[in-house]
Amino acid sequence: MTEVAIVATPDDGSCGVGTYAGDLRSYLDCDVEHVELHTNSTDPTHFARVAVSAGTTAADVVHVQHEYGLFGAKTLYWWVFFPLLWVSARLTSAPVVLTVHEVWDAETAGDSLRWLQLLYIRVVNLSITLVADHLVFLSETSESAFHTATPVAVQSTSRLPHGVNVGETKDVAPAEAKSTFGYEPSDTVVVEPGYVSRQKGVDVFVELADRFPDHEFLLAGGPRQAADEAFVSDLRDRSPPNVQITGVLNDDDFHDAFRAADLVVLPYRKNGQSGVFNWCAAYSLPVAGSSCDYFERVAAEWGCMQLFNPSDLDDTESVTRTLLHDDEQRRALRERMSAFREANRFERVAAEHRSLYRELAERRAG
């Protein structure tokens, strides 16, 4: 049986990448070692130890679950992790798979010294291609963005769906879930679940709530990084009375947020894939989402969400109001979301990963 060492943050609710990796491990049905990368660590020796531990493992394959922010501000500690993993993996001949959970590209760069930011993005992405023998992308959007923002052609890649973890859903009545957050069963609750950040358009969600004073709006999450704490604090100060910002939730309350939702609104500014959207699929929820590239592709293929322009609050309000008042349209979205869920269950995703691991292990042995 193939053995794999998965480098990822813990599956304790502190990081979406860690939750994804935990879900994947639970479905893999092969020997798996979890090489834990601490969430929000600023200790360079920790990144060094993890890199060497992963690279010198006895496993057949090393699989890194990568997101730039896991390695500190400006992905600083990647420059500790990457060379040590590269060297140690080459010494043991262990193939390295790297799953790309987000992509830095031209849209990531700001206006200040933009040319330097773009150069840094290209160098970081180049280093990813150097350490990885195989890259896994979770959507066509992410794959296309990475190729555009990387100065060399990437030879060995796969595109595997993020996966919908139906087995981890919670069977809680909506009324009980609403009570978790202090709502009455009769309240209409609009939810944006997940970590609170500018990229996820939570400021649009708060502005939208001001146009629906008779409905409750739940931002079910908090800041993942210290850099977002001031932003969230300002958001609280300017939120209307019908907005609740929960802070980071434990696992049970996180699932209650989905069960409490009459409608989910995801006003993301940029998105290559979405674990939150997949949880919406797991619960077959009606979703209104921004017209970012990934959601446009999902909506075009599955018809399971309604899109709006997050830069146009009138359009965002119009789509939201229509869904809140049209029971038949919400029912149709639930049915299409169920179809998306069944086609993207984690059992299928895990099977494709096992096949990839076997192929790489056999290539190494041969």
Side-chain angles (χ1 to χ4, degrees), residues 143-158:
E143 184 173 12
S144 175
F146 188 85
H147 285 304
T148 301
T150 305
V152 298
V154 182
Q155 300 299 322
S156 181
T157 67
S158 299

Side-chain angles (χ1 to χ4, degrees), residues 37-49 69-78 80 224-227:
L37 189 67
H38 295 168
T39 306
N40 295 333
S41 176
T42 58
D43 178 7
T45 65
H46 168 67
F47 293 98
R49 287 194 300 270
L70 302 182
F71 298 91
K74 300 178 177 61
T75 204
L76 176 65
Y77 300 110
W78 173 250
V80 177
R224 195 183 78 183
Q225 302 179 33

Side-chain angles (χ1 to χ4, degrees), residues 15 109 156 255 310 318 345:
C15 174
S156 181
H255 285 275
S318 176
R345 293 176 72 104

Side-chain angles (χ1 to χ4, degrees), residues 4-11 17-18 21 25 32-39 46-59 61-65 70-71 81 85 88:
V4 58
I6 296 183
V7 181
T9 44
D11 180 18
V17 173
R25 290 195 305 272
V32 181
E33 174 189 359
H34 179 199
V35 184
E36 186 173 300
L37 189 67
H38 295 168
T39 306
H46 168 67
F47 293 98
R49 287 194 300 270
V50 171
V52 173
S53 177
T56 58
T57 179
V61 178
V62 176
H63 191 170
V64 179
Q65 302 292 332
L70 302 182
F71 298 91
F81 180 89
L85 177 61
S88 55

Side-chain angles (χ1 to χ4, degrees), residues 37-309:
L37 189 67
H38 295 168
T39 306
N40 295 333
S41 176
T42 58
D43 178 7
T45 65
H46 168 67
F47 293 98
R49 287 194 300 270
V50 171
V52 173
S53 177
T56 58
T57 179
D60 299 298
V61 178
V62 176
H63 191 170
V64 179
Q65 302 292 332
H66 178 272
E67 190 177 77
Y68 304 93
L70 302 182
F71 298 91
K74 300 178 177 61
T75 204
L76 176 65
Y77 300 110
W78 173 250
W79 302 112
V80 177
F81 180 89
F82 146 66
L84 289 173
L85 177 61
W86 187 88
V87 170
S88 55
R90 293 311 179 271
L91 290 174
T92 61
S93 299
V96 176
V97 177
L98 186 145
T99 293
V100 179
H101 284 267
E102 69 168 333
V103 176
W104 278 1
D105 59 7
E107 292 184 27
T108 310
D111 295 329
S112 178
L113 294 175
R114 181 173 174 82
W115 68 271
L116 185 58
Q117 293 186 53
L118 290 172
L119 176 61
Y120 184 65
I121 287 169
R122 290 173 70 83
V123 171
V124 172
N125 288 347
L126 174 61
S127 72
I128 289 173
T129 68
L130 292 175
V131 75
D133 298 287
H134 188 93
L135 292 178
V136 174
F137 295 97
L138 300 176
S139 71
E140 182 180 350
T141 302
S142 292
E143 184 173 12
S144 175
F146 188 85
H147 285 304
T148 301
T150 305
V152 298
V154 182
Q155 300 299 322
S156 181
T157 67
S158 299
R159 191 190 307 151
L160 302 178
H162 186 288
V164 177
N165 191 357
V166 180
E168 290 297 315
T169 55
K170 309 295 183 184
D171 186 17
V172 179
E176 182 181 347
K178 287 182 180 183
S179 71
T180 299
F181 305 100
Y183 301 132
E184 297 296 326
S186 58
D187 289 336
T188 298
V189 181
V190 181
V191 181
E192 182 179 356
Y195 290 105
V196 177
S197 70
R198 293 175 179 84
Q199 182 172 302
K200 293 191 173 184
V202 292
D203 51 322
V204 176
F205 186 83
V206 167
E207 292 173 8
L208 180 66
D210 201 34
R211 300 196 175 191
F212 293 87
D214 296 330
H215 297 322
E216 302 295 339
F217 280 67
L218 179 67
L219 268 174
R224 195 183 78 183
Q225 302 179 33
D228 289 323
E229 289 177 0
F231 169 71
V232 175
S233 177
D234 176 67
L235 204 64
R236 290 184 191 277
D237 291 342
R238 57 192 177 91
S239 292
N242 63 329
V243 171
Q244 179 182 167
I245 304 176
T246 65
V248 177
L249 297 172
N250 62 40
D251 189 60
D252 286 339
D253 289 351
F254 176 74
H255 285 275
D256 280 351
F258 290 92
R259 294 295 292 144
D262 294 292
L263 176 68
V264 172
V265 174
L266 303 177
Y268 295 177
R269 291 190 166 90
K270 178 185 176 186
N271 194 32
Q273 56 83 25
S274 175
V276 166
F277 176 79
N278 285 340
W279 279 118
C280 293
Y283 285 102
S284 297
L285 293 175
V287 175
S290 62
S291 53
C292 60
D293 189 39
Y294 174 66
F295 286 160
E296 285 183 338
R297 291 177 188 269
V298 170
E301 182 175 358
W302 294 94
C304 59
M305 63 190 306
Q306 288 293 313
L307 301 181
F308 56 80
N309 179 358

